[in-house]
């Protein structure tokens, strides 16, 4: 069934409305074929935002978050590169497995939740977008974001838990999007992470991009490590495998690196220490929001399940601190904004907060190596 998108009858939503059903992708091949020609037409992001707001007019307004300026008087001769990291919550898991006991099922309806996700992306206008738990890639994100000027890549989990949910939309996975007007793709690698030499169900995408404005190369990676307590050693092994892959791709840190991910690991875990102490000289961008620049935020996910309330710091944007500067970072939602029922909610579409940073290239990239 196609959901009405409000009063708007724009050419945009005459196409987009076809993406609103939450059935399996295989049931929508006719829809996807019809979208092929339409996706070539560029979209005005303002038009898309306006259409999303029509759909969301009965919901509370989106939360206001402010960027914190972190620039330390370092002159930059190029536009900053805005990177957004977000576990958007797979639709099949939100509706069928995650048991958010304080979140009404009505708040999880895909027809509206997808518009909340798009609204968040459109509000911050990232040059690079790194997403996890994407299970509507082919029928929603790729058709739309490609028309907004992004080059799109998706790598699904081999055994996605979404496939266990009735009326699923296919497997979830990681997705990476970058603006073609700003970057050129030099190399792309889909990585199936290993642990103890065994292939696992977790994946990563790593792409080497060339910045048109500066001519500089850098690598952007997105990943989603194994969830749940009791799997700390497994996550550590996955992190080691990812780091080794990234060392090869960046030629041992010669190419600057940004790694976005839901690591499913608190800063106290071994995998966090591995990234902190890596020879790639990585730092976690969101530490810079703390007074001493050494502490992660108190939470990046906050939800209530039957087992109780879960407030954790699991999501990170790592960067090569010798080659990149963090100009600013988007502040997190406060406890008051999140509210007593936590996430997701009618206000916010995911159980994880989006992280957004503006980066610039260092003038002296070898300074801290």
């Amino acid at each position: 069934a196609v959901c009405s998108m409000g009063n708007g009858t724009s050419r945009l939503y005459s196409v987009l409305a076809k993406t609103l059903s939450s059935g399996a992708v295989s049931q929508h091949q006719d829809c996807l074929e019809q979208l092929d020609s339409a996706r070539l037409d560029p979209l005005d992001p303002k038009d898309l935002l306006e259409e999303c707001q029509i759909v969301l007019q009965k919901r509370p307004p989106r939360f206001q978050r402010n960027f914190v300026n972190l620039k330390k008087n370092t002159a930059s001769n190029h536009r900053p590169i805005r990177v957004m990291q977000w576990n958007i919550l797979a639709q099949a898991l939100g509706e069928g497995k995650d048991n958010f006991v304080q979140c009404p099922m009505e708040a999880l309806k895909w027809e509206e939740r997808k518009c909340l996700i798009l609204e968040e992306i459109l509000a911050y206008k990232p040059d690079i977008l790194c997403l996890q738990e994407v299970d509507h890639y082919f029928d929603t994100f790729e058709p739309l974001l490609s028309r907004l000027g992004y080059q799109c890549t998706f790598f699904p989990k081999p055994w996605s838990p979404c496939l266990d949910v009735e009326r699923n939309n296919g497997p979830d996975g990681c997705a990476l999007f970058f603006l073609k007007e700003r970057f050129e793709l030099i190399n792309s690698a889909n990585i199936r992470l290993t642990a103890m030499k065994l292939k696992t169900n977790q994946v990563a995408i790593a792409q080497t991009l060339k910045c048109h404005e500066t001519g500089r190369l850098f690598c952007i990676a997105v990943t989603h490590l194994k969830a749940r307590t009791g799997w700390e050693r497994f996550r550590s092994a996955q992190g080691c495998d990812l780091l080794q892959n990234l060392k090869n791709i960046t030629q041992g840190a010669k190419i600057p690196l940004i790694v976005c991910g839901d690591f499913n690991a608190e800063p106290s875990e071994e995998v966090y220490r591995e990234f902190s102490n890596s020879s790639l000289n990585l730092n976690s961008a969101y530490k810079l929001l703390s007074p001493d620049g050494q502490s992660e935020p108190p939470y990046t996910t906050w939800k209530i399940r039957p087992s109780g309330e879960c407030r954790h710091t699991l999501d990170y944007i790592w960067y090569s601190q010798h080659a990149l500067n963090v100009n600013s970072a988007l502040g997190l939602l406060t406890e008051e904004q999140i509210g007593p029922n936590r996430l997701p909610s009618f206000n916010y579409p995911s159980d994880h907060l989006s992280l957004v940073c503006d980066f610039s290239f260092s003038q002296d990239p070898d300074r801290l190596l």
Side-chain angles (χ1 to χ4, degrees):
V2 171
C3 172
S4 167
M5 301 304 291
N7 298 323
T9 55
S10 69
R11 181 170 60 87
L12 161 61
Y13 266 95
S14 68
V15 174
L16 179 60
K18 297 186 181 75
T19 75
L20 288 174
S21 171
S22 58
V25 171
S26 59
Q27 297 171 353
H28 294 282
Q29 288 307 314
D30 55 337
C31 161
L32 295 177
E33 285 162 14
Q34 290 172 42
L35 285 170
D36 279 341
S37 59
R39 75 162 63 114
L40 299 175
D41 298 331
L43 273 180
D44 186 331
K46 291 179 183 175
D47 290 342
L48 180 55
L49 182 58
E50 187 178 310
E51 294 284 357
C52 287
Q53 289 168 345
I54 290 170
V55 176
L56 298 170
Q57 57 191 343
K58 293 183 180 177
R59 291 205 180 206
R62 61 183 300 279
F63 296 123
Q64 291 304 305
R65 299 166 65 186
N66 298 316
F67 280 90
V68 179
N69 184 15
L70 300 168
K71 208 167 182 180
K72 297 179 180 176
N73 300 320
T74 51
S76 173
N77 55 4
H78 66 90
R79 278 188 299 157
I81 297 169
R82 177 162 291 181
V83 176
M84 184 172 187
Q85 147 61 30
W86 199 12
N87 178 332
I88 61 172
L89 173 61
Q91 184 63 22
L93 301 184
E95 286 187 310
K97 280 202 165 206
D98 278 345
N99 296 318
F100 301 117
V101 292
Q102 296 294 98
C103 178
M105 285 302 290
E106 187 74 8
L108 296 172
K109 283 172 55 179
W110 179 243
E111 289 83 354
E112 295 181 5
R113 196 174 78 86
K114 69 177 291 257
C115 289
L116 275 179
I117 294 170
L118 290 167
E119 187 183 43
E120 182 91 348
I121 294 167
L122 291 163
Y124 301 120
K125 303 173 185 169
D127 299 302
I128 299 171
L129 174 62
C130 295
L131 302 180
Q132 298 86 35
E133 289 199 23
V134 179
D135 63 346
H136 275 269
Y137 176 81
F138 293 105
D139 67 354
T140 300
F141 293 104
E142 194 274 343
L144 279 177
L145 291 175
S146 65
R147 294 178 64 195
L148 291 171
Y150 290 91
Q151 185 155 327
C152 314
T153 305
F154 176 62
F155 192 24
K157 294 173 185 170
W159 316 299
S160 167
C162 293
L163 299 176
D164 297 333
V165 178
E166 192 177 354
R167 295 192 301 276
N168 66 76
N169 201 64
D172 77 300
C174 292
L176 199 161
F177 309 84
F178 67 84
L179 284 177
K180 291 184 285 187
E181 69 172 17
R182 293 213 64 186
F183 313 108
E184 174 190 352
L185 179 62
I186 303 301
N187 181 60
S188 184
N190 287 353
I191 303 164
R192 184 172 171 187
L193 298 175
T194 64
M196 299 82 165
K197 298 186 178 178
L198 297 174
K199 290 182 177 180
T200 73
N201 194 35
Q202 280 64 47
V203 300
I205 304 168
Q207 297 188 333
T208 302
L209 305 180
K210 183 177 181 180
C211 176
H212 290 316
E213 191 176 339
T214 64
R216 298 275 294 269
L217 294 179
F218 68 100
C219 177
I220 177 77
V222 55
T223 195
H224 188 185
L225 302 187
K226 173 68 182 169
R228 297 195 178 89
T229 51
W231 292 84
E232 292 81 5
R233 288 184 62 197
F234 196 83
R235 280 191 287 274
S236 174
Q238 289 182 327
C240 285
D241 182 48
L242 179 56
L243 284 168
Q244 188 55 56
N245 275 279
L246 294 174
K247 284 174 190 173
N248 295 336
I249 291 168
T250 63
Q251 301 165 29
K254 287 182 182 174
I255 299 172
L257 173 64
I258 300 170
V259 185
C260 294
D262 174 357
F263 279 60
N264 277 307
E266 291 274 8
S268 56
E269 270 199 37
E270 181 64 30
V271 68
Y272 182 93
R273 291 193 291 275
E274 285 161 0
F275 271 71
S276 293
N277 301 327
S278 162
S279 62
L280 293 173
N281 197 27
L282 299 172
N283 193 21
S284 175
Y286 264 72
K287 280 167 53 176
L288 302 180
L289 287 181
S290 65
D292 62 358
Q294 299 299 314
S295 305
E296 292 289 352
Y299 50 83
T300 62
T301 179
W302 201 340
K303 56 202 143 198
I304 302 174
R305 284 177 165 153
S307 57
E309 193 160 343
C310 309
R311 191 183 91 149
H312 299 293
T313 300
L314 307 177
D315 307 271
Y316 307 97
I317 300 179
W318 298 91
Y319 70 101
S320 300
Q321 57 186 330
H322 63 283
L324 296 165
N325 301 310
V326 185
N327 297 1
S328 61
L330 183 65
L332 300 174
L333 293 177
T334 64
E335 180 175 358
E336 183 181 26
Q337 285 176 309
I338 290 172
N341 294 332
R342 309 314 184 199
L343 304 173
S345 66
F346 281 109
N347 300 72
Y348 197 79
S350 176
D351 54 328
H352 289 252
L353 299 178
S354 63
L355 308 181
V356 186
C357 290
D358 289 338
F359 290 97
S360 60
F361 290 108
S362 171
Q363 303 297 79
D364 184 11
D366 298 322
R367 163 170 64 91
L368 294 176
L369 268 182

